Amino acid sequence: MQTITLFELNSLVQDVIESTLDHSYWVEAEISELRVVGGNCYIDLIEKAPNGNTPIARARANCWRFTWERVKDDFEQATNSSLAPGMKVLLQVAATFHPAYGFSWNIKDIDPTFTMGDMARKRKEIIQRLTEMGILEWNKELALSPFARRIAVVSSGSAAGYGDFTNQLSSNDYGLSFSTTLFPSVMQGEAVEESVITALSKIYSRCEDFDAVVIIRGGGAVSDMSGFDSLRLAEAVARFPLPVITGIGHDRDECVLDIVSNTRVKTPTAAAAFLIDNLHATMQRIEEAQDAIVNSVRRRMQLEALRIQKLSASLPSQARLILSREDARLTRCADSIAVAARQRLTAGGAAIDKLMIRIPAAAKAIVVNGSHRLQVINQRLYDLDPQRVLDRGYSMTIANGKVVRSAKSVTTGTLLTTRLSKGTITSEVK
């Protein structure tokens, strides 16, 4: 049996590709990843399904230093923007195959007149729509409870990021206790939108059980995060009555969900660190208040003890005995006050926590009632709009700046202005 080496086989493939695809092609594609190393640019290209975000084609493309410098400068000068993931581009490429590195497309030119890709355009349109609706900053305006420790988590239960998040919360350096409830969701692909919205709906039905919502996933290609660039999902997060913390990408990846959320962090572990720091800061404030109260009481008791000592020096021995007993009683009282102060502060913290839970629900009810009243007022204004009367075929005649209600109010020669649904007519009384 005749055999050949892998190098010989790859060399045959190289000969076939270079002899068959012996000229360049203009190709429309979307940039999924872009890396510049040593002056050379390496790009991952994708093409998505017409009615979805699932890639149906992928390819590697290389742009060598001498071409990349020219192409980059021309593109930035013409478009006033840099090539970046999520951008749709038109490239002139030629096929290359290397026995050791495999197949790739060699970029010869990029058309700078081609517009941004669907991913970037969609993101821009969603942000603009949220801005027009006036809800882009709504979730950011919610204050995270200083006692936030009951966390609703939207993530894939099998994701490494979810494990990192829960492990960091449970093993924090301060011994703080957190309660997490997982609401499983798909975090990649076309099902992200519906899955995350369903999870948020379940959390909403139990709003009083949680202090905050955390949406987390591990990093990945920009194309894998396209499911988080959704108007429905962004609107659900913007309107959510609890602060939403997102940790769904790395530092260079930002989606619409990050923009509308209360707090955006880089990774799931960063989300855990944020919650730990928030609760630890509260614990420090409580401890400082406790120490201040105890120290104040002790200083007061020391002053009283000194005062009693001075008095005892001028009294008979029997009085000294009584004073000694009172001094001991005062010392016991001081210790009791210190213990009671700590207990009262702990109970006060729990009471504040309950109030922080009730405040968002009450605020939401006020907002809903106010919104309903505005709708009723707007409907009344709409019903009273004179233009609606004109649109039904009626007209309005004005003389000397006043509405004419009777023929007796005008005389011969009076100029009249008649306003119709569309336009006006000027006439003179004969």
Side-chain angles (χ1 to χ4, degrees):
M1 180 175 60
Q2 184 178 4
T3 62
I4 60 175
T5 66
L6 178 61
F7 178 79
E8 291 172 336
L9 178 60
N10 283 356
S11 296
L12 289 174
V13 174
Q14 181 180 19
D15 292 340
V16 171
I17 290 177
E18 292 180 353
S19 61
T20 305
L21 305 174
D22 57 352
H23 59 281
S24 60
Y25 303 86
W26 282 99
V27 178
E28 179 182 332
E30 188 173 297
I31 298 175
S32 173
E33 294 285 341
L34 185 148
R35 303 170 300 281
V36 178
V37 181
N40 301 317
C41 182
Y42 303 94
I43 300 177
D44 292 342
L45 301 173
I46 61 171
E47 179 183 351
K48 295 179 181 177
N51 298 320
N53 291 322
T54 303
I56 59 175
R58 295 180 183 269
R60 290 186 299 110
N62 307 320
C63 190
W64 307 121
R65 182 200 303 263
F66 57 91
T67 303
W68 171 244
E69 292 178 356
R70 172 183 59 82
V71 166
K72 179 175 70 71
D73 292 342
D74 291 346
F75 187 87
E76 291 178 354
Q77 185 175 0
T79 64
N80 198 29
S81 61
S82 301
L83 288 163
M87 191 173 288
K88 206 167 187 179
V89 291
L90 187 64
L91 312 99
Q92 185 184 26
V93 297
T96 61
F97 186 90
H98 191 280
Y101 303 112
F103 180 84
S104 65
W105 292 103
N106 183 21
I107 299 175
K108 296 183 175 294
D109 200 0
I110 300 178
D111 184 355
T113 62
F114 203 74
T115 59
M116 292 178 64
D118 292 338
M119 185 183 296
R121 178 181 56 80
K122 177 183 176 184
R123 184 175 300 174
K124 183 177 180 181
E125 290 174 351
I126 292 173
I127 294 173
Q128 182 177 356
R129 176 60 179 153
L130 294 171
T131 302
E132 292 171 354
M133 296 168 66
I135 64 173
L136 185 67
E137 302 288 332
W138 274 16
N139 200 258
K140 293 184 184 297
E141 295 172 358
L142 299 178
L144 179 66
S145 168
F147 299 95
R149 65 180 194 83
R150 303 173 304 162
I151 313 301
V153 184
V154 179
S155 180
S156 170
S158 60
Y162 172 67
D164 294 340
F165 174 80
T166 55
N167 288 338
Q168 183 152 342
L169 282 185
S170 61
S171 60
N172 65 84
D173 295 336
Y174 311 111
L176 300 173
S177 174
F178 290 87
S179 170
T180 60
T181 304
L182 175 65
F183 292 82
S185 175
V186 176
M187 305 303 287
Q188 181 173 317
E190 294 183 358
V192 167
E193 177 187 82
E194 197 61 41
S195 184
V196 175
I197 289 177
T198 300
L200 289 175
S201 298
K202 294 178 180 177
I203 298 171
Y204 182 83
S205 65
R206 299 175 51 190
C207 240
E208 295 184 355
D209 296 337
F210 304 106
D211 302 313
V213 178
V214 174
I215 303 176
I216 53 176
R217 75 183 284 273
V222 173
S223 58
D224 292 335
M225 298 180 65
S226 58
F228 296 97
D229 289 329
S230 156
L231 177 60
R232 284 184 62 218
L233 181 53
E235 187 175 352
V237 170
R239 295 181 183 275
F240 208 76
L242 294 176
V244 178
I245 302 166
T246 56
I248 57 179
H250 296 304
D251 189 29
R252 59 189 175 84
D253 303 328
E254 184 178 52
C255 61
V256 174
L257 209 63
D258 290 323
I259 296 172
V260 300
S261 65
N262 180 278
T263 304
R264 181 252 177 164
V265 295
K266 298 177 183 179
T267 60
T269 53
F274 174 77
L275 292 169
I276 292 169
D277 291 342
N278 177 70
L279 191 57
H280 178 243
T282 303
M283 183 181 73
Q284 284 184 313
R285 290 194 294 270
I286 292 174
E287 290 177 347
E288 290 170 359
Q290 287 177 337
D291 292 341
I293 292 173
V294 171
N295 291 334
S296 177
V297 171
R298 285 177 177 169
R299 284 194 299 270
R300 179 67 178 177
M301 298 309 300
Q302 288 172 355
L303 291 174
E304 291 299 319
L306 290 174
R307 186 174 67 86
I308 291 173
Q309 288 177 3
K310 291 179 180 178
L311 289 173
S312 66
S314 60
L315 294 175
S317 58
Q318 185 65 30
R320 291 193 187 98
L321 178 60
I322 296 174
L323 288 174
S324 177
R325 291 174 181 173
E326 289 300 313
D327 185 33
R329 188 176 66 82
L330 286 174
T331 300
R332 291 193 298 272
C333 287
D335 293 336
S336 298
I337 291 172
V339 172
R342 291 191 180 92
Q343 293 174 345
R344 186 62 181 269
L345 284 172
T346 301
I352 291 173
D353 197 5
K354 292 180 180 178
L355 287 174
M356 293 299 293
I357 293 172
R358 295 171 58 189
I359 287 173
K364 178 183 175 183
I366 293 172
V367 171
V368 171
N369 292 335
S371 175
H372 178 70
R373 291 181 61 194
L374 285 175
Q375 290 175 359
V376 173
I377 293 171
N378 284 336
Q379 185 62 45
R380 290 179 179 173
L381 290 175
Y382 178 73
D383 293 338
L384 296 174
D385 188 353
Q387 185 64 40
R388 295 192 63 204
V389 179
L390 296 177
D391 289 342
R392 293 200 298 270
Y394 292 94
S395 64
M396 181 171 61
T397 302
I398 301 172
N400 299 323
K402 298 181 179 179
V403 176
V404 176
R405 294 183 172 83
S406 171
K408 296 179 180 180
S409 65
V410 297
T411 60
T412 302
T414 301
L415 293 178
L416 304 177
T417 300
T418 301
R419 180 178 173 186
L420 308 173
S421 175
K422 297 182 179 178
T424 59
I425 297 173
T426 302
S427 59
E428 182 179 348
V429 177
K430 298 295 185 180

